[in-house]
Amino acid sequence: MINRLFPGKHLGMKMGLGLTLFAASLAVNANTLQSKAYHTGEPIPKTMQMTGFVEMQYARTVKDMSFTDLQGKEVKLSDYHGKLLMLNLWATWCPPCLKEIPALQQLKANNAGNQVEIVSLSIDQDPQNITAFLQEHDFKNFESLTDPTGKIEQIMPANVVPATYVFDGAGNLVGFMRGFLHWDDKGVQPYLDKLIAKYAGKTAENIVAN
């Protein structure tokens, strides 16, 4: 993973620091992620590949936000309500992100028709770099939202990329992975299936807050 706060040491950063920074961000963003939606109950047993993923003990409410896709269309987080949302933060200057993109594209294709949306969000400050990047690496049919002004920082940290944040069907944050993950590993899909079964059907009406 790449940590923008430590440019000379990013390749050696460990997950523990990433989790510490995430916890610090929760404290800073007191008005956005401190509202507990519900207790998530017994955590899903992790496969070996998913050990770095954190399923949160309490789902957290997140305000709705809008971003722009590569065609200039506005897309809201709430557009994905009713499904499990995996929001993957990436950037063209991030080597680990380059490795994740093909695997995430394949995972998305494998789950077509399932109750999950795998959405990329570029934090590049100049979105024009994205098209050239995709052409250079021959990433066909790759779709991404853009966030050049860093709006995502209002609800969660974007100081580490790649990073993947997972939301339930009602738009509450339920888990995250800070750093690179082999999304094409055979242990990912069984775990994802359980996440979908547990969280995709959550709605504002069927959530009982604790």
Side-chain angles (χ1 to χ4, degrees), residues 70-98:
L70 297 178
Q71 289 72 45
K73 178 184 176 182
E74 183 182 69
V75 179
K76 296 181 179 180
L77 291 181
S78 58
D79 292 339
Y80 304 105
H81 283 187
K83 294 185 178 182
L84 186 80
L85 170 62
M86 294 172 55
L87 186 66
N88 179 256
L89 273 57
W90 72 284
T92 59
W93 41 261
C94 164
C97 299
L98 178 63

Side-chain angles (χ1 to χ4, degrees), residues 80-119:
Y80 304 105
H81 283 187
K83 294 185 178 182
L84 186 80
L85 170 62
M86 294 172 55
L87 186 66
N88 179 256
L89 273 57
W90 72 284
T92 59
W93 41 261
C94 164
C97 299
L98 178 63
K99 294 177 62 179
E100 273 198 347
I101 287 175
L104 281 170
Q105 282 187 290
Q106 186 59 56
L107 187 67
K108 184 175 182 177
N110 293 344
N111 284 275
N114 288 346
Q115 283 188 291
V116 59
E117 291 284 353
I118 300 172
V119 179

